[in-house]
Amino acid sequence: MTSHPSVGNRRPPLPASSSSFPRPPSRTVSHASPRIPRSASQQVVIDLTDATASSSSRDTSGPAYKKQRLDDGTSSGGARSPLLPDGELVRQASQRSIVGSPASLNTNATSLNSPSVQDPRYAGDRSRPALPFPVRPGRYAPRTGKRPSFDKAGTRGDVRAKPYVLSVPAPAPQYSADRPADFFPWTGDHPEDILSEQATKTGFYDKTQVSQNETSTARPSIWSSLKHKSGLQILSSLFVSALDQRQAHGTVTANSTFKPPPRVTLTDTKREAWLRDLADPATPLRRLSRTIPHGIRGKVLLDHCLHKEIPTGRAVWLAKCVGANEIRAFKRKGTSGAFAVGGEAKWIREWTSHVEQFVEYIIDSCGAVNWKDMINYALRLSSHLFSEHLLDQDHYLDWMISALYSSDLNTVPIWLLVTQIYWKEILQYRRRGRRLAEALLEQLQRVWTSTVVLGDMMLTSKMKASTHENEELFPQMQEQLARLLKSFIIENPACFILPGSWVKYGPLLISFLGDEDANLILSFERLSGRNLRLIRSRDKQSHRPTKDSRPRLINLLDSIPMTFQLHQTSEECLQTMGNKELLIRTVLEWASSLYRKGQARIYVAVRLLRRWAKTGIDVGGSILAFLAASPTMVGLQKSNVYRIIVELVRSKHFSVGKYLQWLVARGSLRGRQALGPDDPCDVRLLCELPLHGLPGHVLNLRRILLASVGYSVVEEEATIDTAKRNIAEQIPGLFSRSEPSFQITLPSLDLRRLGGTVKWDLGRWVRQGVASRFQADRTSSEADIKETVLADSSESVITLQQLAKIRKILEDLEDFTILADVLSIVSECEDARILNLAVDTVNQYVDVFAAIGAADDLFGSVCQRHEEIRAQMPVMKSLIVSLIDLGEALPNQTLPVRQLRKVVLSYERKCAIAACSPVSDHMAEALQSTESNFADEFEQVLASGSSMDKQTLSRLFETAMNRMGPSKDESLSAINLPELLFRLRSFDTKAFDELMQGWLDSLLQSTSRPRLLDILPTLISGGCTTLRAVVDQASILIEGPSKIRHCGKVATDMLELLCSNAPVDPLSTEYQSLAQPSQRAYRFRKEQDLFNRTHPSQLLMIIRATIRACADPQSSAQASARALISSTDGRGLLRDLMVRHPESLDELGQAFSPGASVDQVKLAIHQLVDPGSQQGVLPEDIDGQISTIMRVANDLNLPFCQLKLKFTLISPDPGMGGPSQDSVVPTLMEAIKSSIALAAVARRHTPASTVWTEVISVLDRSHATKLRETAENELLSNLMTTTSAALPCLEQNKATLEGLLAVIDATHYSIPGSGDSQLLAHVVEKLDSVASSFSSAASEAKHPGLGESALGARQQRLGIMYLNIDVLLRLIILHQSTFFQPKSSHSNTSRLLLTLSSLLVHHQLTHNPTLSTHIFDVLALLSDYLSDDSRVTCFRILADQCESSDPRLRFLFACSDGGDGEGLQLMSTSSSPTPSITSEPKKEGGKTTTQQPFPFRRWEMMQEATPIVGENDTSLSLGLFGARKAVLQL
């Protein structure tokens, strides 16, 4: 409310603005009471001038008519005394200096300085000013030589009125407490001014005059009147009469005379002068309020306040004056009602925008001169305007949050400071609190991202200097943001209900919280659970709960790199899945699944299990549990299970004795007559165990158990002996020293078909033979061995042919652990050819050896041996190249690879020095002959020079390519054409690549070309071209702008090139000059694997084109495409693509066009689900296939089951007769119900699997829509049955409802974009019914007369109501986009919100805080979609229902109880009331009292708005409060 001086007999106007109603000061003696501070509003301005004594001053300053007098009584001619530093002394002196009326003080100011009253002792001292009163005894101030200062502005004819401010003279006598002696202003006729004898002797003092009648008590005077019985009544009547008279004559009855200061047009000079006076706190606002300059508004007003340093209070006063005039201008224009209100709101919005631009401009000008003072002023002024409601607060706060969200990192700190000023107002409602939380999280993510990028960049010294500030600023910003977010989460967790962005910000937020504060971590976990509950499961793949940790573990295992860190991978697996038994089972399933390929996963699983066994985890027990459950597992590759257990037996991490005891205890062998490869893993393992190192009693027990099922151990030993003889015959000389009897020629055996026990014993025997051979040679003379090796490589410890045979045997035995040991032993050889073969073997199986942990050791040992050999003799280049290939595959071998490249570069430099002349044209033409020594001649041409022009290069390229044709000449197999082309490429890489691209284009477009698999692998592995270049060229011809007619043949050949092995036998191909050497076959396979992993889109395009070619009868490649797509290589490539990139399923499904399906495509997809048809799980009929797919689907074969279901549901031709939508959907629903029932049963023992929900998520929109609608109808019908008298089992019903919700969640993509209004009406109706039933159940449960059985039944019914409410809430979440579409019914939406609000405030839900929180979160989610009008409407309805008192509803709907007048009501009393819509009539004593909201005009709440002090000049009329006049006693 506007502050103003008291009404009635007022004091003279004040020189400065007052902020409150002043209290009349009490007159006290200065030395008898302590100093009481007085506000600036109590300072009195005294006119000490007259017409005669000031003529000289008026003559010098100008004519008399220029000295205008203000209407408030202040003088314009008096000089203003300068303020002393001690303002308190000034106020005390002015308080004690006034006696009588202001007219009696109108004396000559110069008389105070007259020489007649000056002390004669100082008559000659002109440097000291005269005292303003006669000299009195006391302490005098010392003399000062400082000359008095003069106001320069006053000497230039400044005629502005400057009030006189009373001050304490410096030489005034002082008391001990530094207080001045009291004195009266010099008037000439005051007793203090007369020097009488008594005043001279005793001094002057103010003696209170006491009447003679008051010398004694007043009892005798009034006792005669009070001693009667009516005396007290008489006294009371007198007092009441006095009070009535006071009330009648002292109440303010005049109408309000308030009117904002008018605006007038002034010149620039006068306007600037007025603004300077406004900036001067000594200039009273009443003087300035006569008129205000026109044209000062908006941002101009704010700029003037800033640059002229106008005090904040005065700047707000000016803004109110301008705003009040602008708002009244709308009413004067003739508009009324809504138009006037709209114009006023529009102006306030515009004024708020000006303030926002003003603050933003100051913030953006950071670094300018006096920026700190400018920003302090801007923030102080804007906060005052905001606190006095002079801004559109909603718009201002929304702008502030938006600015914080979009600000760059340089201005984030200042925006955080600005935001914290309005922190309480922002967090008052969720609408803004949610936006603030998102803004803080977004800035935290930007700062974190910038910090990571800044740390990873390799900066130059110049860049480091420019980013030094950021390096110091970013950690501080991170700390500040994290600190704000921590307190924010604890104090206002509801603002962090952010289902739309929680997946993005949740992991970032938890990384900054730390582990120190347990309460903070608990709050975050609760908050995360609340957010994930509001997110559809399809949108929170990275935030699956613990029960769905199995898919995350499988994804983690699939993404393990080739050279993984065992410790890190082990910790990640343990963190992903806490159940150790389920963890080990999942790892074993992944390593032995038919739906994954590669042998490296076997050794990854072995190393993980060994590590976990060392930490105390019961690995053996978990393996036995896995073996017991293995018969029910789908897609299990039993050989991998045996190999994992064998490796654990070798390292003593699996006990064979405990396994045999477990087998006997379970009785697994009872009733069995034989053991075959197809028997379950738990019993077949008896024939797969390694026997070396086992105790005798274990071997005897194994022999007994095998004899009980008819398995002969003697035949097993005979097979081992025969195999050893066969191997010794294949490798003569290697085992002859220890076993000379192995000289009999035996028929060859297929080592792959042998039993596991035989294989492991043979592998151990081969390793022992190689180790014995090297150990025997190691004992001989070292000098003789070295001399023999260097003289003749054929006399080495092991020959190249022997090592190749050993490698082939161990590959057939699939014992790569033994192969790694053999290569480690062979790496000690000094024969470069042996080392080259060993390195090529490691290159071929680098992923397996890396998983075993031997790749780095083998690389290091061969590199060391290479250095030793190179120190004595030149090393073949192929060994160095193989080492470089191996080192590039190992990330930890960067430095050795760099050194090896230097060695290769040194060889090339030597060749360049030997031949430094250009290749001549005639030497290129000489190669046109058809002689058999083409390779030698080509070599001579290349060696004849070190440079070559483009024309010569083109001729040589064409000559070499012409030699690539088919030929039966075996001599051509010796020509290493790729090596010649690679050397030719080194002359001009760019020109050679252009020639190769043209040759590839002509080759692919040729209709009579050979197979690409016969020509390109050697060129690719030889470095002449890349597989990426070939595929890019083919992509242009398949689906590019240059698409050709026979694109099916190109796609088929390219798919064969990407998935098949290249021929390695020169005699098996017509193109013998391009045959792939067996030692270099790994290079092409590495290129294949690299391309298939890094370019899934192009691979998918080729597969789609090949599938289309299978169904195209006009395609020339139809037969080859069908054979390829159903081959093992084609299925393997498709399987790897879907495992690595499951998102490619949709694009792959586009290749399945409606029509007759190709048998080969059906077979390929069928074998993906059932590899090799070993499981026999897929029947022929479609209904049976759908049911089986839903039953056998698991996390490992999920993408293949999805592909199979998608392929099965393709609509065939009308005449073929196949599945229709009406028949498929019921079958799917029945299969889903069976899966739900199985999951409910399995939930008691193991976590339930919901893979079937992922399977149905790939249905097309028509099938998904039908299935979803069926599930929704059944869900709502099940809710109806739960409220009947016959209550079903709560757990079974809960499982059914959750399963139906999972179906709706999986098919939510079928919900139309415009929403389902019919479902909305059903859900709202069902929710109303459930809420009504819940209220009745809650009231019955509280009935005191119920017995225990009845009370238990009521509690059970109440629990079912809880379940129904929870299910409906989850259904609302799934259909959240439906409820707020433009076409949705607003009535249904309002009913939904009102029903949820009534449930939220229901007293019964206090006993179920989880459900209450869920309702609150759903309301928060839905309220984010509401418009402001809908939000206010809902809250008004709740207010009518007396439910708006809950602070949670006000927080959600962003509404307050108070109106524009902050709850003020205007009360009026009348004898004949008039009806009003907004009034609330109350009858009291025949009169009617009505209350109406009082409009609070904040723009008119200003102090000193009128130049003349009036009785009722305030904006808020004093008559409304019954205010009384007050007399100021001076």
Side-chain angles (χ1 to χ4, degrees), residues 886-940:
L886 178 58
E888 289 177 345
L890 303 175
N892 298 328
Q893 306 296 337
T894 306
L895 183 60
V897 170
R898 193 179 305 166
Q899 296 175 351
L900 291 171
R901 290 189 182 279
K902 292 181 180 179
V903 174
V904 175
L905 185 60
S906 64
Y907 287 163
E908 294 178 354
R909 288 176 178 175
K910 291 179 181 179
C911 297
I913 294 174
C916 58
S917 59
V919 177
S920 59
D921 294 341
H922 69 278
M923 296 188 68
E925 295 173 355
L927 292 175
Q928 301 298 329
S929 61
T930 58
E931 298 177 1
S932 60
N933 55 354
F934 168 78
D936 297 336
E937 294 181 359
F938 201 95
E939 179 73 25
Q940 292 177 5

Side-chain angles (χ1 to χ4, degrees), residues 410-472:
N410 295 326
T411 58
V412 166
I414 187 62
W415 281 114
L416 288 177
L417 175 63
V418 175
T419 306
Q420 293 180 69
I421 298 175
Y422 308 93
W423 192 267
K424 182 179 179 181
E425 288 78 9
I426 293 175
L427 301 184
Q428 186 177 4
Y429 303 123
R430 167 178 160 77
R431 182 173 63 88
R432 287 190 292 265
R434 174 182 59 86
R435 294 187 57 208
L436 176 61
E438 290 182 341
L440 293 176
L441 290 171
E442 177 65 21
Q443 291 298 342
L444 182 63
Q445 186 180 41
R446 292 178 185 175
V447 173
W448 179 79
T449 304
S450 301
T451 304
V452 173
V453 172
L454 194 62
D456 294 342
M457 290 174 57
M458 300 299 294
L459 302 176
T460 61
S461 58
K462 184 176 181 180
M463 294 177 65
K464 285 182 179 178
S466 62
T467 57
H468 181 68
E469 263 184 49
N470 293 336
E471 292 178 358
E472 297 180 354

Side-chain angles (χ1 to χ4, degrees), residues 1000 1025-1034 1091:
L1000 287 174
T1025 186
T1026 61
L1027 188 59
R1028 172 68 185 277
V1030 177
V1031 175
D1032 289 343
Q1033 194 66 30
F1091 180 84

Side-chain angles (χ1 to χ4, degrees), residues 1457-1529:
D1457 292 335
D1460 295 337
E1462 295 184 347
L1464 293 179
Q1465 297 288 327
L1466 182 62
M1467 180 180 295
S1468 60
T1469 304
S1470 62
S1471 57
S1472 57
T1474 57
S1476 175
I1477 298 177
T1478 60
S1479 63
E1480 299 178 0
K1482 296 180 182 180
K1483 293 186 177 181
E1484 296 179 359
K1487 295 184 179 181
T1488 304
T1489 303
T1490 58
Q1491 294 182 359
Q1492 294 179 343
F1494 181 78
F1496 204 59
R1497 301 173 181 175
R1498 299 187 178 277
W1499 287 93
E1500 297 180 357
M1501 299 295 108
M1502 65 183 74
Q1503 71 274 19
E1504 303 182 13
T1506 56
I1508 303 176
V1509 178
E1511 180 178 335
N1512 190 6
D1513 61 350
T1514 59
S1515 173
L1516 189 59
S1517 178
L1518 297 177
L1520 298 175
F1521 306 96
R1524 293 181 300 176
K1525 302 176 183 179
V1527 179
L1528 180 61
Q1529 299 293 339

Side-chain angles (χ1 to χ4, degrees), residues 1220-1327:
S1220 63
Q1221 180 173 321
D1222 296 336
S1223 62
V1224 167
V1225 173
T1227 304
L1228 275 173
M1229 184 55 68
E1230 291 298 326
I1232 290 172
K1233 290 181 179 179
S1234 301
S1235 301
I1236 294 173
L1238 292 176
V1241 175
R1243 185 178 301 174
R1244 304 172 185 173
H1245 308 286
T1246 58
S1249 176
T1250 57
V1251 182
W1252 54 269
T1253 60
E1254 300 291 336
V1255 176
I1256 64 176
S1257 63
V1258 299
L1259 296 175
D1260 58 88
R1261 187 172 293 274
S1262 59
H1263 288 98
T1265 302
K1266 187 66 176 178
L1267 184 63
R1268 176 182 55 81
E1269 292 175 352
T1270 304
E1272 290 169 353
N1273 294 332
E1274 292 197 11
L1275 178 70
L1276 296 177
S1277 62
N1278 284 337
L1279 287 177
M1280 185 177 297
T1281 57
T1282 55
T1283 59
S1284 60
L1287 299 177
C1289 178
L1290 184 60
E1291 291 297 330
Q1292 181 179 359
N1293 186 69
K1294 182 178 180 181
T1296 303
L1297 293 176
E1298 288 183 352
L1300 294 174
L1301 282 172
V1303 174
I1304 300 172
D1305 188 9
T1307 57
H1308 77 279
Y1309 59 90
S1310 64
I1311 299 175
S1314 59
D1316 191 349
S1317 57
Q1318 185 177 3
L1319 176 68
L1320 173 60
H1322 290 167
V1323 171
V1324 173
E1325 182 180 354
K1326 181 63 66 174
L1327 185 61

Side-chain angles (χ1 to χ4, degrees), residues 652-689:
K652 309 299 182 182
H653 291 96
F654 182 80
S655 175
V656 178
K658 290 183 179 180
Y659 160 71
L660 297 178
Q661 295 174 6
W662 173 79
L663 203 61
V664 173
R666 293 181 68 246
S668 302
L669 300 178
R670 182 180 303 172
R672 294 187 179 274
Q673 303 298 326
L675 285 180
D678 297 333
D679 287 330
C681 294
D682 56 343
V683 295
R684 178 62 187 176
L685 183 60
L686 273 174
C687 306
E688 305 291 337
L689 291 171

Side-chain angles (χ1 to χ4, degrees), residues 333-377:
K333 291 179 181 179
T335 59
S336 61
F339 294 99
V341 174
E344 178 179 348
K346 181 179 180 182
W347 183 89
I348 294 176
R349 182 69 59 86
E350 182 181 356
W351 161 251
T352 304
S353 301
H354 289 315
V355 176
E356 293 168 357
Q357 296 172 9
F358 172 70
V359 175
E360 190 170 3
Y361 169 75
I362 298 299
I363 292 177
D364 293 340
S365 61
C366 179
V369 181
N370 297 329
W371 179 82
K372 185 176 181 180
D373 297 334
M374 293 167 59
I375 190 63
N376 286 335
Y377 185 87

Side-chain angles (χ1 to χ4, degrees), residues 1096-1361:
S1097 58
Q1098 290 181 302
L1099 177 60
L1100 187 61
M1101 179 266 298
I1102 294 174
I1103 293 176
R1104 287 203 315 265
T1106 305
I1107 293 176
R1108 287 195 294 265
C1110 293
D1112 187 6
Q1114 299 180 357
S1115 176
S1116 59
Q1118 184 183 35
S1120 58
R1122 292 182 176 184
L1124 180 62
I1125 205 67
S1126 60
S1127 63
T1128 304
D1129 295 334
R1131 293 197 309 270
L1133 183 62
L1134 186 60
R1135 176 188 58 209
D1136 295 341
L1137 175 65
M1138 298 188 65
V1139 169
R1140 292 171 180 168
H1141 307 280
E1143 67 278 1
S1144 62
L1145 178 64
D1146 294 336
E1147 297 184 20
L1148 188 61
Q1150 297 176 3
F1152 304 143
S1153 58
S1157 301
V1158 182
D1159 294 337
Q1160 285 77 8
V1161 178
K1162 284 184 179 179
L1163 178 62
I1165 298 177
H1166 179 89
Q1167 290 182 348
L1168 285 176
V1169 180
D1170 188 7
S1173 299
Q1174 298 176 2
Q1175 310 296 324
V1177 296
L1178 292 178
E1180 293 296 331
D1181 62 301
I1182 293 179
D1183 292 343
Q1185 289 185 17
I1186 293 175
S1187 302
T1188 305
I1189 289 172
M1190 301 298 294
R1191 178 173 53 85
V1192 302
N1194 56 40
D1195 295 305
L1196 292 169
N1197 63 6
L1198 174 61
F1200 313 120
C1201 291
Q1202 290 175 333
L1203 181 63
K1204 177 63 178 176
L1205 181 63
K1206 198 175 187 65
F1207 184 78
T1208 304
L1209 297 181
I1210 293 178
S1211 301
D1213 289 338
M1216 297 295 295
S1220 63
Q1221 180 173 321
D1222 296 336
S1223 62
V1224 167
V1225 173
T1227 304
L1228 275 173
M1229 184 55 68
E1230 291 298 326
I1232 290 172
K1233 290 181 179 179
S1234 301
S1235 301
I1236 294 173
L1238 292 176
V1241 175
R1243 185 178 301 174
R1244 304 172 185 173
H1245 308 286
T1246 58
S1249 176
T1250 57
V1251 182
W1252 54 269
T1253 60
E1254 300 291 336
V1255 176
I1256 64 176
S1257 63
V1258 299
L1259 296 175
D1260 58 88
R1261 187 172 293 274
S1262 59
H1263 288 98
T1265 302
K1266 187 66 176 178
L1267 184 63
R1268 176 182 55 81
E1269 292 175 352
T1270 304
E1272 290 169 353
N1273 294 332
E1274 292 197 11
L1275 178 70
L1276 296 177
S1277 62
N1278 284 337
L1279 287 177
M1280 185 177 297
T1281 57
T1282 55
T1283 59
S1284 60
L1287 299 177
C1289 178
L1290 184 60
E1291 291 297 330
Q1292 181 179 359
N1293 186 69
K1294 182 178 180 181
T1296 303
L1297 293 176
E1298 288 183 352
L1300 294 174
L1301 282 172
V1303 174
I1304 300 172
D1305 188 9
T1307 57
H1308 77 279
Y1309 59 90
S1310 64
I1311 299 175
S1314 59
D1316 191 349
S1317 57
Q1318 185 177 3
L1319 176 68
L1320 173 60
H1322 290 167
V1323 171
V1324 173
E1325 182 180 354
K1326 181 63 66 174
L1327 185 61
D1328 289 340
S1329 175
V1330 171
S1332 177
S1333 301
F1334 173 73
S1335 299
S1336 61
S1339 60
E1340 292 176 0
K1342 295 171 55 180
H1343 199 280
L1346 295 177
E1348 284 191 18
S1349 59
L1351 185 60
R1354 298 295 185 272
Q1355 290 293 340
Q1356 183 180 7
R1357 185 181 178 187
L1358 195 61
I1360 294 177
M1361 292 298 104

